[in-house]
C-alpha cells in the first residue's frame, strides 16, 4: 500500500447526513448521550447479553442474564453474541474518535508522545533539532509498523475454540468474522460459566483481556481488525467504519 495514502491516528469517516445520524444513534442510545470513558458496552435487543470493551476495543467483560435460554434459542446465541460485540466495538470507535480529535497535536508542535506542546521559538537550536529528530523517528516507526502489517502473510481462515467448547470464533485476515456454537452444549448453560468461557475465547483470539488481567493499551499494529455481520441494533447498518462485514453464518 502506498505510504502517501496512509493516515496516522485517524479514522476516515465520511461526513454526510446519514453517517452523522448513525453516529448520533450509536453514541446516544435511548436518547442519552454517552461520555468518553475507559470502557463501553452494548446489549442485544432483548438485554440478555452485555459486552463491555475498553477504549482499545478489547473485550473486558461479558454479562449474560440468568436463564437466558428461556428467551433465546441456543442456536441463536452465537450470532446474538457476535452482533453485540460488533456494536460495542463500533461504539468505542465512534466515541474514541472524539477523544482523538481533542488530543490532536497542532501542526507546529514538536512534542514527542507524552510531552506537552512547546512553541519552537522557545527552544534552543540543539533542543529543537533533538525534538524534531525524535518526532521524525516516531513517525518512521509508525510507518514501519504499517509496512510490516501490510506485508505480513495472511492466513485464509482460522478457528479458535473456547476452553469449555461452548463456542468457536472464526477469524479471517486478522479479524473475527463469525462466532459459532454447539447448540447441545449451550442448552441450559449456566450464565456465569458461559460468560467466563466467552471471555477466555476473546482473550485466546487476541480480541479480549483475560479475566482478572488489568486492561492495558494495545499497540496499533497489534490491534484486531474487525469483520463480520451487521450489528443487531442496526446502528451502523451500511456504515463502513470497520470495513466490509460478512455474515455470521
Amino acid at each position: 500500500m502506498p505510504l502517501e495514502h496512509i493516515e496516522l491516528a485517524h479514522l476516515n469517516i465520511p461526513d454526510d447526513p446519514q453517517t452523522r445520524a448513525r453516529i448520533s444513534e450509536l453514541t446516544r442510545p435511548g436518547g442519552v448521550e454517552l461520555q468518553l470513558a475507559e470502557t463501553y458496552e452494548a446489549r442485544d435487543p432483548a438485554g440478555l447479553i452485555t459486552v463491555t470493551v475498553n477504549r482499545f476495543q478489547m473485550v473486558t467483560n461479558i454479562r449474560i442474564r440468568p436463564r437466558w435460554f428461556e428467551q433465546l434459542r441456543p442456536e441463536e446465541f452465537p450470532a446474538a453474541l457476535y452482533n453485540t460485540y460488533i456494536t460495542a466495538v463500533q461504539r468505542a470507535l465512534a466515541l474514541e474518535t472524539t477523544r482523538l480529535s481533542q488530543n490532536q497535536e497542532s501542526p507546529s508542535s514538536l512534542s514527542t508522545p507524552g510531552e506537552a506542546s512547546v512553541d519552537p521559538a522557545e527552544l534552543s537550536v540543539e533542543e529543537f533539532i533533538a525534538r524534531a529528530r525524535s518526532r521524525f523517528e516516531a513517525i518512521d516507526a509508525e510507518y514501519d509498523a504499517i509496512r510490516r502489517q501490510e506485508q505480513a502473510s495472511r492466513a485464509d481462515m482460522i478457528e479458535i475454540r473456547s476452553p469449555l467448547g461452548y463456542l468457536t470464533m472464526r477469524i479471517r485476515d486478522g479479524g473475527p468474522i463469525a462466532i459459532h456454537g454447539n447448540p447441545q452444549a449451550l442448552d441450559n448453560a449456566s450464565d456465569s460459566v458461559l460468560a467466563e468461557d466467552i471471555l477466555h475465547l476473546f482473550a485466546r483470539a487476541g480480541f479480549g483481556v483475560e479475566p482478572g488481567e488489568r486492561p492495558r493499551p494495545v499497540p496499533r499494529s497489534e490491534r484486531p481488525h474487525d469483520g463480520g455481520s451487521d450489528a443487531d441494533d442496526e446502528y451502523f447498518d451500511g456504515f463502513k467504519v470497520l470495513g466490509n462485514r460478512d455474515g455470521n453464518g
Side-chain angles (χ1 to χ4, degrees):
M1 183 170 63
L3 292 181
E4 59 267 23
H5 297 305
I6 293 174
E7 294 180 322
L8 300 180
H10 177 69
L11 282 175
N12 186 19
I13 300 176
D15 186 15
D16 56 63
Q18 183 179 15
T19 299
R20 288 196 297 270
R22 293 190 183 279
I23 291 177
S24 177
E25 286 183 79
L26 190 64
T27 57
R28 295 175 57 88
V32 178
E33 184 173 1
L34 298 178
Q35 302 298 318
L36 288 173
E38 291 303 310
T39 60
Y40 305 98
E41 67 178 36
R43 290 181 293 176
D44 70 297
L48 302 175
I49 304 169
T50 302
V51 177
T52 303
V53 300
N54 62 20
R55 51 185 291 204
F56 306 104
Q57 299 96 56
M58 300 287 280
V59 174
T60 62
N61 193 30
I62 299 287
R63 297 198 306 276
I64 300 173
R65 184 182 296 177
R67 306 192 66 80
W68 59 270
F69 44 81
E70 294 180 352
Q71 300 183 57
L72 185 67
R73 292 185 299 175
E75 59 267 28
E76 296 174 340
F77 181 88
L81 168 65
Y82 178 80
N83 292 334
T84 306
Y85 161 69
I86 293 297
T87 302
V89 168
Q90 292 174 334
R91 177 161 291 140
L93 282 169
L95 286 159
E96 285 302 310
T97 300
T98 304
R99 189 194 303 270
L100 204 61
S101 62
Q102 290 176 353
N103 295 339
Q104 197 79 35
E105 289 184 330
S106 65
S108 61
S109 172
L110 287 174
S111 301
T112 55
E115 293 182 339
S117 298
V118 177
D119 184 352
E122 299 177 359
L123 302 175
S124 66
V125 173
E126 292 79 8
E127 191 171 2
F128 179 91
I129 293 174
R131 285 175 176 263
R133 181 181 295 114
S134 177
R135 182 70 172 152
F136 291 145
E137 288 175 352
I139 293 173
D140 286 342
E142 186 78 13
Y143 278 138
D144 287 342
I146 294 172
R147 285 194 194 96
R148 287 193 298 271
Q149 185 175 343
E150 289 298 319
Q151 294 172 359
S153 59
R154 302 277 194 175
D156 289 337
M157 182 163 14
I158 62 173
E159 292 189 345
I160 305 293
R161 191 180 182 213
S162 66
L164 299 181
Y166 284 118
L167 299 164
T168 299
M169 180 184 294
R170 287 187 177 178
I171 301 171
R172 185 170 61 208
D173 292 337
I177 62 169
I179 294 177
H180 297 282
N182 182 338
Q184 288 73 34
L186 287 168
D187 190 26
N188 292 321
S190 161
D191 56 289
S192 58
V193 172
L194 182 55
E196 186 85 359
D197 197 42
I198 294 170
L199 277 174
H200 285 296
L201 171 63
F202 276 96
R204 276 187 173 186
F207 308 114
V209 178
E210 283 284 2
E213 182 179 344
R214 184 177 180 272
R216 60 182 182 277
V218 179
R220 173 198 298 265
S221 60
E222 298 178 9
R223 294 178 197 169
H225 297 286
D226 184 74
S229 65
D230 295 336
D232 58 347
D233 58 10
E234 298 182 348
Y235 281 139
F236 265 35
D237 182 26
F239 184 36
K240 306 302 182 183
V241 168
L242 303 179
N244 189 28
R245 289 174 289 174
D246 302 321
N248 195 54

